[in-house]
């Protein structure tokens, strides 16, 4: 997931308080709640620079201190508005205003002093470029139109019956999922990296808004259908952030979930209600206004006010409350350091379903950056899950091989 706050500037709650009448205050409250709701579901078109390169040499890069630049691990840096890219690793030194990190490579463009943009994916292009692995462009037909994807076959180049569908997060790019591809490839799985509606390289949905997984699941179903039509008999679903919410809805709605043998989720949104309340608190938004915003999203009468074609029932995204409905093994990777999606629901889900849900808990890593912080552990955890739990699991319904 591209990590920016769901609301990019302070919500103008003063609109509700700065009026002289009860009626005006009520109207202002509705306006503030509607603004908050729209920001949550509106795709972010702008990706501004967010870090400053202070100096560099052939071995290191020094950045101004930000919450991102001070966290250990390996990361990417977009240069020149995205035209260039570099990768950095371990922290060499730091003080109160700057942090120097080891320069791993300049992948394209020129590394220069000035503004840049942090790339938590680390990878900057398709698998053949970023990973040096053979890949193929594919087109997946969903109800909104053709969706672009990348296909990476297992070692040896033969596609078998085991396929993984990889789903990135809100506002993110397909590159977010590439960290899983080498592990899956070595384990004999075909990786299908899928786009979904409202991505920058994909068709818009009917309303051009994120539906928090409640419509995007159809695009994951389309990717699953593509896999089945090309020989898949066992499917692993892998989702990051909102991609996790999408995957869970696909399990709930799609008959193709009969082919799913396991689900791996990184920093997943297990309950959008908790995420909305968290971001409301970050912006000093009163709880009643957050509840009003949630109500507006789910109301058919107010759907035009928030700009959605169909109501978004946030309660349907609460998988702690719906834990008894799960029937597939689930690996959840989450971090106490995640300041975007609180870890609480992931912990709650694992507590409710210890028979199916395995929680791997990080401490310091920020949102969707557990791999960046400790790639060896992340890859080991995924490898163990892929090689052990899904292999011993029979899909509900006996793993039907027919299409939708």
């Amino acid at each position: 997931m591209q990590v920016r706050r769901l609301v990019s500037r302070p919500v103008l709650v003063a609109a509700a308080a700065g009026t002289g009448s009860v009626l005006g205050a009520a109207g202002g409250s509705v306006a503030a709640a509607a603004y908050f709701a729209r920001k949550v579901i509106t795709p972010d078109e702008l990706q501004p620079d967010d870090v400053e390169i202070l100096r560099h040499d052939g071995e290191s890069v020094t950045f101004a201190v930000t919450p991102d630049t001070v966290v250990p691990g390996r990361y990417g840096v977009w240069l020149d508005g995205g035209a260039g890219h570099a990768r950095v690793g371990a922290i060499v030194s730091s003080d109160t205003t700057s942090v120097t990190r080891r320069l791993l490579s300049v992948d394209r463009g020129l590394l220069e002093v000035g503004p840049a943009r942090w790339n938590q994916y680390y990878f900057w292009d398709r698998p053949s470029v970023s990973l040096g692995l053979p890949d193929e462009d594919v087109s997946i037909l969903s109800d909104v139109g053709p969706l672009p994807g990348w296909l990476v076959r297992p070692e040896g180049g033969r596609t078998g019956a085991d396929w993984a569908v990889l789903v990135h997060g809100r506002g993110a790019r397909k590159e977010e999922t590439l960290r899983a591809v080498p592990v899956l490839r070595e384990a004999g799985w075909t990786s299908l990296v899928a786009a979904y509606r409202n991505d920058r390289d994909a068709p818009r949905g009917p309303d051009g808004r994120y539906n928090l997984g409640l419509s995007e699941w159809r695009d994951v179903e389309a990717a699953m259908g593509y896999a089945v039509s090309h020989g898949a008999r066992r499917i692993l679903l892998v989702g990051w952030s909102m991609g996790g919410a999408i995957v869970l809805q696909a399990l709930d709605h799609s008959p193709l979930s009969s082919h799913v043998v396991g689900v791996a989720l990184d920093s997943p949104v297990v309950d959008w209600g908790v995420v909305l309340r968290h971001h409301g608190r970050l912006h000093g938004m009163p709880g009643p206004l957050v509840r009003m915003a949630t109500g507006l999203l789910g109301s058919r009468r107010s759907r035009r006010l928030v700009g959605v074609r169909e109501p978004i029932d946030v309660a349907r995204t609460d998988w702690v409350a719906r834990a008894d409905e799960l029937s597939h093994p689930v690996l959840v990777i989450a971090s106490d350091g995640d300041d975007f999606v609180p870890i609480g629901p992931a912990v709650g889900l694992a507590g409710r379903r210890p028979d199916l849900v395995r929680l791997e808990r990080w401490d310091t890593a920020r949102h969707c950056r557990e791999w960046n912080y400790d790639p060896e552990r992340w890859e080991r955890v995924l490898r163990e899950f892929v090689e052990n739990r899904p292999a011993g699991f029979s899909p509900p319904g006996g793993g039907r091989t027919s299409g939708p």
Side-chain angles (χ1 to χ4, degrees), residues 96-257:
T96 57
T97 61
S98 67
V99 55
T100 300
R101 309 189 72 115
R102 189 175 306 281
L103 175 63
L104 301 179
S105 69
V106 178
D107 303 302
R108 64 187 184 208
L110 296 175
L111 180 61
E112 297 180 330
V113 170
R117 177 160 50 91
W118 204 245
N119 172 21
Q120 67 268 22
Y121 314 151
Y122 186 74
F123 303 110
W124 69 101
D125 209 323
R126 60 186 302 138
S128 58
V129 177
S130 293
L131 296 170
L133 298 177
D135 62 20
E136 303 166 34
D137 288 309
V138 298
S139 181
I140 300 164
L141 186 60
S142 182
D143 62 312
V144 296
L147 303 167
W150 296 323
L151 186 71
V152 180
R153 301 179 187 273
E155 293 182 348
R158 297 188 61 183
T159 299
D162 294 340
W163 285 57
V165 175
L166 281 56
V167 187
H168 64 75
R170 176 187 183 276
R173 297 163 44 148
K174 298 193 295 293
E175 288 89 342
E176 182 173 48
T177 71
L178 294 191
R179 59 198 62 190
V181 170
V183 175
L184 295 167
R185 185 171 185 266
E186 291 170 8
W189 290 71
T190 297
S191 293
L192 180 56
V193 179
Y196 54 83
R197 62 194 66 196
N198 299 314
D199 280 356
R200 293 171 184 84
D201 58 351
R204 291 286 191 182
D207 52 23
R209 310 281 185 175
Y210 293 126
N211 285 189
L212 308 186
L214 296 174
S215 68
E216 293 88 352
W217 70 265
R218 297 184 179 93
D219 303 330
V220 171
E221 180 183 54
M224 294 164 66
Y226 180 96
V228 170
S229 69
H230 287 77
R233 296 297 177 263
R234 303 185 334 135
I235 294 176
L236 178 73
L237 297 178
V238 188
W240 283 256
S241 195
M242 189 175 85
I246 297 171
V247 162
L248 291 169
Q249 293 299 323
L251 285 180
D252 182 35
H253 291 288
S254 175
L256 291 177
S257 63

Side-chain angles (χ1 to χ4, degrees), residues 253-331:
H253 291 288
S254 175
L256 291 177
S257 63
S258 63
H259 293 277
V260 175
V261 295
V263 178
L265 306 177
D266 187 318
S267 304
V269 178
V270 175
D271 180 357
W272 269 110
V274 170
V275 176
L276 297 182
R277 291 191 293 273
H278 171 68
H279 285 269
R281 287 191 296 270
L282 287 178
H283 292 277
M285 189 171 182
L289 279 182
V290 176
R291 289 192 293 273
M292 183 183 295
T294 303
L296 291 175
L297 287 170
S299 170
R300 185 166 295 276
R301 293 198 305 174
S302 64
R303 66 185 188 276
R304 292 183 180 177
L305 184 62
V306 296
V308 294
R309 183 177 180 181
E310 295 294 334
I312 299 174
D313 184 1
V314 174
R316 295 296 299 166
T317 72
D318 181 357
W319 286 96
V320 179
R322 301 181 63 188
D324 290 342
E325 300 176 40
L326 293 177
S327 57
H328 296 80
V330 181
L331 167 67

